[in-house]
Amino acid sequence: MYIKMATLANGQADNASLSTNGLGSSPGSGGHMNGLSHSPGNPSTIPMKDHDAIKLFIGQIPRNLDEKDLKPLFEEFGKIYELTVLKDRFTGMHKGCAFLTYCERESALKAQSALHEQKTLPGMNRPIQVKPADSESRGEDRKLFVGMLNKQQSEDDVRRLFEAFGNIEECTILRGPDGNSKGCAFVKYSSHAEAQAAINALHGSQTMPGASSSLVVKFADTDKERTMRRMQQMAGQMGMFNPMAIPFGAYGAYAQALMQQQAALMASVAQGGYLNPMAAFAAAQMQQMAALNMNGLAAAPMTPTSGGSTPPGITAPAVPSIPSPIGVNGFTGLPPQANGQPAAEAVFANGIHPYPAQSPTTADPLQQAYAGVQQYAAAYPAAYGQISQAFPQPPPMIPQQQREGPEGCNLFIYHLPQEFGDAELMQMFLPFGNVISSKVFVDRATNQSKCFGFVSFDNPASAQTAIQAMNGFQIGMKRLKVQLKRPKDANRPY
DNA sequence: TTTTATT
């Protein structure tokens, strides 16, 4: 019941926006406010569905079509019980797919055979998908990823290769927008056992002509893994750190707590209609990310505390008083005020959202969001600039002179991002203690970073903590190497 | 060499 009402509310909102932007179709769709065939006002006409009805997943739907536009297409095969276009929970953005349930099971089967992969909706470059929703068949452990295929191989070729091991329900070659094979595919069997048999028989069994290594056959990524990969890519592209890659529990839990908070903050602000679509998008991503239970990294649930005290749940070689989270902050987009009263201004104050709110009437939400992505990316260099400015050349607390700390306090850091300077290096290590100097080595001739440097703390414990937390830390495609500077090579001028 | 999406 709750779901029905939510769906109805959705439909109404859609209609409102449609009439605003002129995309609405026929104005004469009677008393139906949405794409459902329910008639809320008249219980006697609420359709019944077969108890064995099939919920269908509909894919490859142009984002400008809503329930009302899709209804005619599907009604042809029977009476519709429910039709819901999927929308992003925060942005309301059309996800390009829908769920469809017919009153009768037979209608679903007819629609599937008549439409699935059979026609392409306007503006799409792949054919419409009509198949039972994932929820209809549990056990998603029967889908394989097949890598290292020859780019010339077709679906049929792959099928031939895999059909000996079981019934193939689906076989798809991954292709780029131009239709060229990406050299990999998905193969879905009817059962897990079949899939496993195929792995056993085919993985590494042969090398396709033109492929760089032997055939890869493994279970496809889970949603969780996919989200992780996406986050990785996004972080890499934007030059951000990936807090999830921090190898140790203590700091990881801390970062995760920050993310959770930040996601909540952003979500609440976004729902207040204050942020643009991109911010809402980022909030959704962060929330997903924070929700992921990384191989037990985040141990105890934490209550965020005010700066200065060690968050509960962090034990052993914990980060000793993580000062304000600013060290992590400038790079992840977390606001300086990670806890306490999350002020909306904080989000804007850190340079992450340098664009003004946009009028909802200007363009279609997709275009707006897309513009947001570009601005978001473009904003990053600016964010870097601000980070540097946060530590002016002669910072009050930081001696100008490079100096080395006592034995055991000096770290050698390798695999720094090319764009890192002294300030960024210091920023990165501030959370672990009092940094008395930081130096990135640059090439004399080109002035380019050599991607390594030194950081000195005023005590060995801070240095050890920093090693624990940052050695192996992933930035983009590289992992930092953080170790004690070799004591012997005396004092050298930087 | 992991997709266009699965409330």
Side-chain angles (χ1 to χ4, degrees), chain A residues 152-232:
Chain A
Q152 314 308 122
Q153 284 175 297
S154 70
E155 265 83 0
D156 283 347
D157 295 325
V158 175
R159 260 177 202 279
R160 272 194 286 277
L161 199 53
F162 284 81
E163 66 192 359
F165 308 98
N167 177 47
I168 297 174
E169 288 187 6
E170 232 179 275
C171 174
T172 322
I173 301 272
L174 272 58
R175 298 177 188 281
D178 50 1
N180 293 150
S181 166
K182 293 168 116 172
C184 54
F186 290 112
V187 174
K188 190 170 183 180
Y189 283 102
S190 298
S191 75
H192 176 73
E194 292 168 328
Q196 187 63 62
I199 291 175
N200 295 157
L202 296 176
H203 180 66
S205 65
Q206 53 196 293
T207 300
M208 299 301 173
S212 56
S213 78
S214 65
L215 193 65
V216 170
V217 182
K218 53 202 283 205
F219 288 111
D221 277 359
T222 61
D223 279 356
K224 202 187 269 188
E225 291 162 327
R226 270 167 64 194
T227 304
M228 289 311 299
R229 181 178 300 102
R230 268 182 215 185
M231 296 309 308
Q232 290 272 137

Side-chain angles (χ1 to χ4, degrees), chain A residues 284-297:
Chain A
Q285 291 291 306
M286 293 182 76
Q287 205 159 63
Q288 280 186 57
M289 200 168 161
L292 293 176
N293 198 350
M294 283 296 288
N295 47 351
L297 273 190

